Amino acid sequence: LIEEVARVRGYEEIPTAVPRVHPSEAGTSGLLKFVDRLREAAMASGLYEAVNYGFVSIDDLRKARVSTDAVPLANPLSEERSVMRTSLLPGLTAAAARAQRRGATEVRLFELARTFRPTDETLPRENSVLAITLAGEHAGWIGGEQSFDLYDGKGVIQAILARAFGRAPKLIIAEVPSFLHPKRSAIVTLASRPVGFVGEIHPDVGDDLELVGRVIYAELDVELLYALSEELGPMQARGLPRYPAVTRDIAMLVRDEFSAGEIADALREAAKGLAESVRLFDLYRGDQMPDGHRSLAFRVTYRDPEGTLTDKRVDKVHASLAKLASDRFEATIR
């Protein structure tokens, strides 16, 4: 009725006034600031933000192999929007599939939103999640066509967290959700704590979701990341090194069951604080290698912040690294 009166009298007759807004004494919460940093970091990593409905159908959840224990709507507009989403996977992959149907050869999407789970209380439990989807072919890839893979997802996750969090995550092989490929997925850890997962969507799930080719999907628990950022605090700068570094290489023949990251971590620990970095710089597989084996070469940078290292001391520590690789990983030093 008010709108009808305004239309007859004329909207120009209604005075305008800027409402007074009193900022809160506490200011913007730390969590909201952290969410903004995550969103900016995702965009800076080359991703485009998707905004999807919080309502989905049970069939959408079932096709995506995510939890169907969802919060139902009392008065849904349609069967396609009858429950609250329990995961961002259905909406984000639907956006990717829609882009592929319209000819997109490269899809880079992220969504920062909430999921909902029923509880014994009146209101559902909400959880903030950052989800990422990569699909299609690399743009500007040198060589033949190359689809996105697990390592692309890992790179995006590392770029986002390094920019927004100040720390780079690690990936470990562990149990992942059933909608991911069991051999092409991993758990994302930060400060030795699981904060999410990344991997290739299982081919059967991809077919049900009408996706084309390999599709990478990742999720990060935003509230858990924020709690870790508060607990660990900001990264601390340190002074430039005063003493020179010594670099040594170590090459080994090792079974495929041992990951390069696992070996690098063990070598770093065995150096007892003298290894500034342990970096894999060569991997070789070929007919000359025994079945189930590969050659790995690591470059170890030694530095003592308290004084100049001697060759004798470095040789002793380097020999202990070779012994550890031989004893723990049954490696043959080359």
Side-chain angles (χ1 to χ4, degrees):
L1 291 177
I2 293 174
E3 182 181 356
E4 291 299 316
V5 172
R7 184 179 63 81
V8 173
R9 291 294 302 271
Y11 289 112
E12 69 278 1
E13 297 295 328
I14 302 176
T16 58
V18 178
R20 291 185 177 181
V21 178
H22 299 282
S24 66
E25 294 181 1
T28 305
S29 70
L31 177 59
L32 288 180
K33 292 179 180 179
F34 182 73
V35 168
D36 287 341
R37 290 207 307 271
L38 278 180
R39 181 175 283 108
E40 291 172 359
M43 291 186 288
S45 301
L47 303 177
Y48 295 89
E49 186 170 11
V51 180
N52 295 302
Y53 286 108
F55 313 133
V56 295
S57 69
I58 287 292
D59 191 48
D60 292 335
L61 301 177
R62 190 176 296 111
K63 286 181 180 179
R65 311 292 201 278
V66 297
S67 175
T68 56
D69 184 19
V71 179
L73 298 183
N75 187 25
L77 297 177
S78 66
E79 188 63 29
E80 287 74 22
R81 301 281 183 261
S82 59
V83 298
M84 304 295 290
R85 61 188 173 196
T86 60
S87 170
L88 301 187
L89 176 65
L92 206 52
T93 52
R98 190 159 51 249
Q100 289 181 326
R101 288 195 298 269
R102 283 158 174 76
T105 58
E106 183 184 27
V107 179
R108 294 171 174 264
L109 297 175
F110 82 94
E111 185 173 11
L112 212 166
R114 295 180 179 180
T115 59
F116 305 86
R117 294 294 181 91
T119 64
D120 295 334
E121 302 175 359
T122 304
L123 297 177
R125 178 170 60 87
E126 302 181 24
N127 189 38
S128 296
V129 176
L130 171 63
I132 297 164
T133 294
L134 304 175
E137 308 290 340
H138 283 282
W141 179 264
I142 299 176
E145 291 186 354
Q146 176 70 36
S147 299
F148 286 111
D149 57 22
L150 171 63
Y151 298 103
D152 294 298
K154 172 187 176 183
V156 171
I157 293 293
Q158 287 180 327
I160 291 174
L161 292 184
R163 186 182 182 92
F165 200 90
R167 291 173 172 84
K170 292 184 178 181
L171 269 62
I172 62 172
I173 305 301
E175 185 177 356
V176 295
S178 59
F179 54 77
L180 292 181
H181 195 296
K183 300 296 184 181
R184 299 171 184 168
S185 53
I187 296 296
V188 180
T189 65
L190 204 58
S192 301
R193 303 182 196 179
V195 295
F197 55 82
V198 59
E200 180 182 322
I201 292 180
H202 196 284
D204 294 341
V205 179
D207 291 341
D208 290 343
L209 297 176
E210 301 179 0
L211 296 168
V212 178
R214 292 185 174 183
V215 178
I216 306 303
Y217 181 78
E219 275 190 13
L220 296 175
D221 190 318
V222 174
E223 293 168 2
L224 181 55
L225 285 175
Y226 174 67
L228 274 175
S229 71
E230 290 290 289
E231 177 182 336
L232 300 176
M235 291 289 287
Q236 299 296 318
R238 60 182 181 181
L240 294 174
R242 299 174 56 190
Y243 301 98
V246 177
T247 302
R248 297 287 174 85
D249 295 342
I250 179 171
M252 63 189 73
L253 183 68
V254 66
R255 296 203 307 270
D256 290 337
E257 65 186 79
F258 299 114
S259 69
E262 179 184 6
I263 297 174
D265 289 341
L267 295 178
R268 188 178 294 104
E269 292 177 4
K272 298 179 180 179
L274 288 183
E276 187 175 72
S277 68
V278 179
R279 182 174 63 88
L280 176 72
F281 70 90
D282 185 66
L283 183 153
Y284 176 75
R285 286 189 177 93
D287 297 335
Q288 297 84 357
M289 299 289 106
D291 290 341
H293 288 69
R294 69 198 189 284
S295 174
L296 301 176
F298 297 90
R299 180 153 295 159
V300 185
T301 301
Y302 297 99
R303 192 193 303 271
D304 186 351
E306 304 298 330
T308 301
L309 288 171
T310 62
D311 288 340
K312 182 178 180 180
R313 187 180 179 191
V314 173
D315 290 342
K316 182 178 180 181
V317 175
H318 200 66
S320 68
L321 267 62
K323 185 176 186 304
L324 176 136
S326 177
D327 294 344
R328 184 184 299 186
F329 302 105
E330 303 175 11
T332 301
I333 306 301
R334 303 178 66 192

